[in-house]
Amino acid sequence: MHHLKKCFLLMFLPLLAFTTVHKFYVSVTNVGYSEKEDALQITSRVFIDDMDAVMKERYDIYTELDTERESPLAEEYLEKYLRTKFVVEVNGEPRTYDYIGKKYDNDVVIFYLEIPQLKYPEVSSIQIQNEMLTDLFDDQQNIVHFKIDGKKKSFVLMKENTKGVLNL
């Protein structure tokens, strides 16, 4: 009987480990320069359920993104949130970006941002401050990938360290 109990534990214990859901809180942002547009182009991918949660917590709005019940106010509040949590500096000066819009891809919302008329030859540094979702999830990680003029640099930004800089 003792042997049977051991076999049972060895067979089913590993299965129990996989039944525990482990949630990762992560966003991925790509920053690049378009020579054709003379613009800094930014895409940021964030899980839809995380954005819904932060909209509820911060603004008391049920956005219900990517559903038939999506709030007509969702776009306005998403942009408002991005402008408070996602900041771009060029050469140490804050730059306003254009919010181009969003699209959905499976369980992710992709935001499109752009800083037009960059005057790239005059750029010596680009800094991204990304605090998205850190006000809701302590273990949120915001990954930022720079790929500009052959230079690549990536950062993992967290609540304690929300800024990454690419020096050109």
Side-chain angles (χ1 to χ4, degrees), residues 17 29 39 47 51 54 68 79 95 119 125-126 130 147 153 155 163 167:
T29 300
F47 286 108
M51 286 307 295
V54 81
E68 293 175 0
E79 181 179 354
R95 291 289 299 264
K119 298 181 183 156
S125 69
I126 299 169
N130 187 345
K147 187 177 178 185
K153 195 166 189 180
F155 297 93
K163 297 177 183 178
N167 292 307

Side-chain angles (χ1 to χ4, degrees), residues 20 28 47 96 114 126 138:
T20 305
V28 178
F47 286 108
T96 302
E114 185 176 79
I126 299 169
D138 287 335

Side-chain angles (χ1 to χ4, degrees), residues 4-16:
L4 187 60
K5 284 182 184 178
K6 278 185 178 179
C7 287
F8 179 79
L9 282 175
L10 288 173
M11 284 178 26
F12 290 104
L13 197 56
L15 293 176
L16 291 174

Side-chain angles (χ1 to χ4, degrees), residues 102-137:
K102 67 177 179 2
K103 82 171 188 176
Y104 301 113
D105 183 20
N106 296 320
D107 58 349
V108 171
V109 58
I110 305 170
F111 297 105
Y112 296 92
L113 313 172
E114 185 176 79
I115 297 177
Q117 302 170 356
L118 187 63
K119 298 181 183 156
Y120 180 71
E122 299 171 14
V123 175
S124 61
S125 69
I126 299 169
Q127 175 179 283
I128 301 291
Q129 178 177 338
N130 187 345
E131 297 177 342
M132 284 193 294
L133 302 172
T134 59
D135 49 345
L136 189 60
F137 306 115

